[in-house]
Amino acid sequence: MDQVGMGNAEHQGALAKGEVLPRPASSQSEGFKQGRSVLNSLLSGAFAGAVAKTAVEAYKLIYRTYLKDGFFSLWRGNSATMVRVIPYAAIQFCAHEQYKRILGQYYGFQGKALPPVPRLLAGSLAGTTAALITYPLDMVRARMAVTPKEMYSNILHVFVRISREEGLQTLYRGFTPTILGVVPYAGLSFFTYETLKKLHAERTGRSHPYSYERLVFGACAGLIGQSASYPLDVVRRRMQTAGVTGHTYGSISGTMREIVAEEGVIRGLYKGLSMNWVKGPIAVGISFMTFDLMQILLRKLQQLGYNAR
């Protein structure tokens, strides 16, 4: 028997004895890298959300609240806000990285900037994923923000009372307008940010923008995304707080009609937009910038760890 035949016989004999072939090292390494990438995105997104929310304060609102309810009332609902913002940002940024990877493989743009439509789709899917998972926390935050402090003592108390008095389904009241608003908001925000970074790289030859450039790109993304989705955001907030404000909003169209009838189009559906044009883009800019810088920092730390081995 020749050498090839002997080799095949030995191979078959080994398999017949129940031996398991080792998994290729490259496959193990790829799986490890993918898991590490997900963890990095989650950590970076969580940190970005926390920093953005903490950094943006509306001084007039703070001053009025301080005069009316006292110093500690400034933090009423803040714990619920942070409990929602941190997981939301972590999930959204992590999901966006994964959707970019999946769509990049599908369209043949792995490791490169996606074409416009997949770029928009990746952002919309990321926002939808984050909203689906964290929506009950958003409901809790909305309730704590509009009710007297005697009504709810803490986050858990809100969950218990809503579940007991209004039913578990109430935790997802207003979810449909939320998703309808998240799709254009997240889609346009990520699309704008990624597009500006792509154009910047093409014109300057620098693949990594400076920190202030990332901040500006993010602010532009937040401005465009927020303006496009704001009316649906108003509808979402009205439906979330209907149980404590005395209204009986039943549907998106019905809520919109009632708001327009009572307050008008501009004062109703775009109420508070000018204030959000100030703080919203700043928060989004900080969030995008922080996420990118955290990603870069974590990669450098991991590289240093490998080099030290």
Side-chain angles (χ1 to χ4, degrees):
M1 184 183 295
D2 59 17
Q3 293 181 351
V4 175
M6 292 176 64
N8 288 337
E10 291 175 359
H11 178 72
Q12 293 171 357
L15 291 179
K17 293 176 183 178
E19 294 184 7
V20 179
L21 290 175
R23 187 181 179 187
S26 60
S27 179
Q28 293 178 341
S29 176
E30 194 64 32
F32 176 75
K33 288 180 180 179
Q34 186 59 37
R36 189 182 62 204
S37 173
V38 171
L39 181 59
N40 284 354
S41 298
L42 282 171
L43 291 174
S44 300
F47 188 71
V51 170
K53 194 63 183 178
T54 303
V56 179
E57 298 287 353
Y59 75 93
K60 288 185 178 179
L61 178 60
I62 291 175
Y63 182 65
R64 290 171 186 165
T65 305
Y66 169 74
L67 291 179
K68 182 180 179 182
D69 299 316
F71 180 74
F72 289 104
S73 66
L74 296 175
W75 277 267
R76 172 164 169 75
N78 185 63
S79 58
T81 298
M82 295 306 290
V83 166
R84 180 191 70 90
V85 165
I86 291 175
Y88 182 90
I91 294 168
Q92 180 176 240
F93 278 110
C94 179
H96 183 247
E97 292 298 306
Q98 298 310 306
Y99 286 129
K100 281 201 305 182
R101 179 182 61 83
I102 294 169
L103 291 171
Q105 290 176 340
Y106 182 80
Y107 287 99
F109 285 85
Q110 184 67 23
K112 302 177 183 178
L114 291 172
V117 173
R119 200 181 310 155
L120 182 67
L121 181 60
S124 296
L125 289 173
T128 301
T129 302
L132 179 64
I133 296 173
T134 64
Y135 187 80
L137 292 170
D138 191 40
M139 164 65 82
V140 168
R141 179 201 61 80
R143 283 295 182 91
M144 292 188 75
V146 300
T147 54
K149 56 186 177 182
E150 297 81 13
M151 189 168 183
Y152 300 118
S153 57
N154 53 49
I155 297 172
L156 182 59
H157 188 208
V158 183
F159 274 112
V160 172
R161 282 198 60 176
I162 289 178
S163 301
R164 184 183 301 162
E165 298 174 6
E166 304 175 49
L168 285 173
Q169 71 277 6
T170 303
L171 292 174
Y172 274 88
R173 179 183 290 164
F175 180 69
T176 302
T178 295
I179 291 299
L180 292 177
V182 161
V183 168
Y185 176 76
L188 288 172
S189 295
F190 279 106
F191 173 83
T192 302
Y193 186 69
E194 294 289 324
T195 300
L196 290 174
K197 286 203 302 182
K198 180 177 180 292
L199 293 174
H200 172 271
E202 292 173 351
R203 296 195 177 187
T204 65
R206 288 188 286 113
S207 59
H208 295 291
Y210 297 128
S211 298
Y212 71 88
E213 292 172 327
R214 296 179 192 272
L215 181 64
V216 172
F217 296 163
C220 292
L223 182 65
I224 292 172
Q226 190 173 66
S227 300
S229 63
Y230 196 80
L232 285 167
D233 195 43
V234 171
V235 171
R236 171 185 64 83
R237 290 196 301 269
R238 296 295 181 90
M239 293 183 74
Q240 284 178 335
T241 58
V244 294
T245 58
H247 288 83
T248 55
Y249 299 123
S251 65
I252 298 173
S253 58
T255 304
M256 277 192 168
R257 284 196 299 269
E258 188 169 337
I259 292 173
V260 171
E262 293 179 359
E263 306 170 46
V265 175
I266 302 300
R267 292 188 177 182
L269 296 178
Y270 289 92
K271 187 176 184 178
L273 178 59
S274 58
M275 176 63 75
N276 278 276
W277 271 344
V278 175
K279 65 178 183 179
I282 295 174
V284 176
I286 292 173
S287 184
F288 274 118
M289 179 189 71
T290 304
F291 175 79
D292 278 358
L293 296 181
M294 277 294 294
Q295 286 281 81
I296 294 170
L297 175 62
L298 289 173
R299 291 192 192 106
K300 286 183 178 179
L301 290 175
Q302 288 167 353
Q303 190 61 45
L304 288 173
Y306 287 136
N307 294 338
R309 291 179 181 178

